[in-house]
Amino acid sequence: MSESTQSVLKPHQRIVELDALRALAAINLLLFHLSYVYAVKYGFVSPLGWSWPFGKYGVEMFFILSGFVNSMSLMRRGKPVDFVAARMIRIV
């Protein structure tokens, strides 16, 4: 295959700070479910011994950051079709 017919990906580096923020958002949500939701929804005392009611903000933060990462991936791939194909393969 010639290079003109091949989809060439632009080089990229992971942005460690974005990955760290996404991890913090996921941990925030985990703490929310293990403490606050566990106590309020099911009526049990939290196994952690304290409550973290701020986890709902982790969802918004995670999706905002994921949207940014996905848009960077789309720009890197160049063609929307390639981006959608890569997303579908990753999901499956």
Side-chain angles (χ1 to χ4, degrees):
M1 285 187 142
S2 69
E3 191 171 316
S4 63
T5 60
Q6 225 177 8
S7 176
V8 178
L9 293 177
K10 298 172 188 166
H12 76 287
Q13 288 183 321
R14 292 192 67 90
I15 301 174
V16 177
E17 293 84 357
L18 283 178
D19 289 340
L21 284 174
R22 288 172 67 191
L24 286 174
I27 290 168
N28 188 21
L29 189 60
L30 180 71
L31 290 174
F32 175 66
H33 280 277
L34 282 177
S35 64
Y36 187 75
V37 172
Y38 189 74
V40 172
K41 190 172 184 179
Y42 300 111
F44 296 112
V45 176
S46 169
L48 299 175
W50 45 272
S51 180
W52 184 257
F54 310 107
K56 59 185 172 184
Y57 302 114
V59 174
E60 285 88 0
M61 188 169 133
F62 184 82
F63 281 117
I64 288 169
L65 294 170
S66 294
F68 181 72
V69 170
N70 283 340
S71 66
M72 288 186 348
S73 178
L74 173 62
M75 290 179 359
R76 187 174 138 259
R77 293 200 183 277
K79 296 180 187 175
V81 174
D82 294 340
F83 172 77
V84 171
R87 291 284 112 192
M88 298 294 267
I89 289 170
R90 184 172 179 167
I91 290 170
V92 172

